[in-house]
Amino acid sequence: METHPPQRVLKQVVNYKNLHFYQKSDVLYQLTCIFCQRFLPLCGDRTVDQMVQAARSCKQNIVEGSEDGATSSETEIKLINVARSSNDELREDYEDYIKKHNLTLWEPGHKRFKPMQEYTRQHNALEDYLPYAEKWLSEEFANICLTLCYQVDAMMNRYLKRLEKQFVEQGGIKERMYAARTGYRKQQDEKMKNFEAENASLKADADHWKAKYYDLRARALNAYNKQQEEIKRLRSKLEEE
């Protein structure tokens, strides 16, 4: 009997800790805390709270979106978009810091741009950055964090496109629940049809052997009756002799 795997209701989601853009966002949050502590006044400047909260919001919305994604693709997409907005806000703060303090923005063509870009692309763990976090000058620090912001945004954008494609193809939880229920009913209908076909086949076999039985029984009775008549004839002949 052919069987089909059950349709999933809850979407299988990726562990957010394995997402590279989450790992980078976590690094970015920790580095932002260090940056603010080193280069911004701890009191009287709302920029500190805004930058730290923006970095934290990016990271936390990735976590929440990934966890909620099992039941709601719409919520996951929405929260990843919130994370992107927070990351954009943080990126703007780093750009403003560079402009405000007359620092150099490391763009393509700057001698340190490519090495910085390669390093941040290949390293997603905080321990890869901590040895330098207390040594970088503000220009170095701000450009490193700014590059991480751009990379996190690009990665989240690609991830969102994948989620949107998945949503179009598979739908949300309501569609998956309907598909699961419909699939289950279809499977039960197939089983019932198979049972009915098997039952009809067994009944046909039973009718066939029943007919065989009655035919053999009739033949046996006929042979028995003939044998009794022959015995009676022979006894009668012996009595006459």
Side-chain angles (χ1 to χ4, degrees):
M1 186 183 300
E2 185 180 0
T3 59
H4 304 280
Q7 177 76 25
R8 291 183 63 93
V9 173
L10 296 180
K11 188 179 69 175
Q12 188 171 6
V13 296
V14 179
N15 186 336
Y16 68 86
K17 292 184 179 179
N18 295 329
L19 295 170
H20 287 171
F21 62 85
Y22 166 75
Q23 296 168 3
K24 287 183 183 296
S25 72
D26 185 45
V27 169
L28 192 52
Y29 168 64
Q30 303 296 339
L31 290 181
T32 297
C33 291
I34 298 172
F35 178 87
C36 291
Q37 187 177 32
R38 286 192 60 197
F39 302 111
L40 292 174
L42 298 180
C43 298
D45 190 346
R46 291 186 59 195
T47 305
V48 174
D49 289 338
Q50 290 172 348
M51 291 182 69
V52 172
Q53 287 304 316
R56 184 181 183 278
S57 175
C58 176
K59 170 176 91 73
Q60 293 302 112
N61 277 289
I62 293 171
V63 174
E64 189 176 349
S66 180
E67 291 181 341
D68 289 350
T71 55
S72 176
S73 299
E74 182 183 358
T75 300
E76 183 177 14
I77 291 171
K78 186 182 296 184
L79 289 173
I80 296 297
N81 269 311
V82 172
R84 280 195 72 197
S85 296
S86 296
N87 184 66
D88 288 345
E89 183 182 340
L90 181 64
R91 181 179 62 193
E92 187 75 14
D93 283 330
Y94 277 114
E95 288 177 346
D96 286 345
Y97 181 88
I98 290 173
K99 293 174 185 176
K100 181 179 178 181
H101 292 83
N102 297 316
L103 303 176
T104 301
L105 178 64
W106 297 357
E107 297 177 303
H110 189 281
K111 63 180 181 180
R112 297 191 62 179
F113 176 80
K114 189 173 181 180
M116 170 189 67
Q117 190 178 54
E118 287 300 317
Y119 189 88
T120 52
R121 181 180 290 129
Q122 295 174 15
H123 294 83
N124 302 323
L126 181 62
E127 53 266 26
D128 297 328
Y129 296 86
L130 284 180
Y132 311 104
E134 296 297 333
K135 301 176 183 177
W136 283 326
L137 300 177
S138 61
E139 181 176 299
E140 294 173 299
F141 212 138
N143 276 286
I144 289 288
C145 290
L146 189 56
T147 300
L148 284 170
C149 285
Y150 277 108
Q151 290 174 354
V152 168
D153 181 70
M155 289 173 142
M156 283 196 289
N157 190 40
R158 288 195 295 269
Y159 188 71
L160 276 170
K161 289 180 179 178
R162 193 173 81 184
L163 290 178
E164 290 166 359
K165 181 175 183 292
Q166 191 178 65
F167 180 75
V168 170
E169 293 174 350
Q170 301 177 13
I173 189 168
K174 290 182 180 179
E175 290 85 355
R176 292 195 298 274
M177 289 174 70
Y178 175 78
R181 182 61 182 166
T182 303
Y184 175 77
R185 290 297 299 273
K186 183 178 179 181
Q187 190 177 53
Q188 296 308 304
D189 289 343
E190 288 178 357
K191 284 183 179 180
M192 183 59 69
K193 288 179 181 178
N194 288 330
F195 284 139
E196 289 173 350
E198 186 178 358
N199 186 58
S201 176
L202 291 172
K203 186 177 183 301
D205 287 344
D207 290 343
H208 172 75
W209 290 110
K210 185 178 181 180
K212 285 272 189 182
Y213 165 75
Y214 282 121
D215 179 61
L216 290 172
R217 183 173 179 271
R219 290 185 186 184
L221 285 173
N222 187 46
Y224 174 78
N225 290 334
K226 286 182 178 181
Q227 189 180 52
Q228 292 299 314
E229 289 176 3
E230 182 65 18
I231 291 172
K232 184 177 181 181
R233 187 185 68 78
L234 290 173
R235 281 179 178 171
S236 180
K237 186 177 180 180
L238 286 173
E239 288 175 357
E240 290 176 359
E241 293 177 355

